[in-house]
Amino acid sequence: MKPSEALLWSIALPGFGQVLNGRIVKGIILIGLEFLINVQSNLNEILLFSFYGQIEMAIEKADFQWLLFYPCLYFFAMWDAYRDAGGGEKPYSFLPFVFSAYFVTVGTIYSSSITLFQVLLGPIWLPILSVIPGILIGLLLQGLIRKVQSARL
C-alpha cells in the first residue's frame, strides 16, 4: 500500500490504515478507541449541530473531557498508518502530525470561547482550522532541525 493511501484511509477513520497495512490488532484497537471516544464525547451530534450552524448546541452537547482525547488518537493513527506503509522515512517527519495534534487539542480547549470575526466557531470548526498552524509549524521545525543537523555534518 502507498503511504498516501494509508494516510487517507486513516483520515476517513482512525484504524483503517492499520488494517489495510496488515496491522489488524492495532487497527481494531484504534477503531474501538475511535468509537468509544466518538460516543462518549457526542462527536456525531456535535458534527451535525456544527454543520447546521447551531454552534451553541454543539458546545452544550460536547463532553470535552472525552473530546480532548480525539485529536491525539486521530493524528497518531494517521502518522502510524503512514509510517507503517513506508512513509515518513525522513528525519522528523512526525513533527507536522504532532504539532497538528497539539494545536487541534488547544483549539478544542478554547473552542467555546474564541471567535473569529465575531463568529463563535465551536468544537468542530476551530479545531479544524487549528490543523493549519499545526502543519505549518511542524513543517517549519522539521526543516529547521534538518538544516541545523546537515550543517553540523
Side-chain angles (χ1 to χ4, degrees):
M1 167 174 303
K2 295 179 183 176
S4 58
E5 187 179 351
L7 177 66
L8 290 172
W9 277 111
S10 278
I11 289 171
L13 185 75
F16 275 5
Q18 284 76 7
V19 170
L20 292 172
N21 282 334
R23 311 277 198 227
I24 306 298
V25 173
K26 189 191 300 184
I28 290 170
I29 290 170
L30 288 169
I31 291 168
L33 286 170
E34 195 284 334
F35 276 97
L36 175 67
I37 295 168
N38 184 310
V39 169
Q40 293 296 324
S41 67
N42 302 315
L43 183 58
N44 288 344
E45 283 185 277
I46 298 166
L47 282 164
L48 287 171
F49 285 126
S50 295
F51 273 81
Y52 282 117
Q54 299 171 341
I55 303 303
E56 291 80 14
M57 282 297 294
I59 292 168
E60 186 179 313
K61 289 288 183 179
D63 186 333
F64 286 93
Q65 295 297 318
W66 281 96
L67 191 59
L68 288 170
F69 285 110
Y70 201 79
C72 290
L73 172 73
Y74 195 75
F75 284 96
F76 171 77
M78 286 191 293
W79 160 248
D80 185 68
Y82 178 68
R83 186 195 65 216
D84 278 350
E89 292 180 0
K90 293 182 181 177
Y92 306 103
S93 59
F94 61 89
L95 287 174
F97 294 92
V98 171
F99 277 89
S100 292
Y102 175 75
F103 274 83
V104 171
T105 300
V106 172
T108 303
I109 291 168
Y110 290 105
S111 65
S112 60
S113 59
I114 288 185
T115 59
L116 185 63
F117 304 112
Q118 299 178 348
V119 175
L120 183 62
L121 297 174
I124 297 299
W125 301 116
L126 184 61
I128 287 173
L129 289 174
S130 300
V131 171
I132 297 166
I135 290 172
L136 293 176
I137 290 173
L139 288 171
L140 177 68
L141 285 174
Q142 179 185 47
L144 287 172
I145 293 170
R146 286 182 188 168
K147 189 172 186 176
V148 167
Q149 284 189 335
S150 67
R152 288 184 184 169
L153 302 174

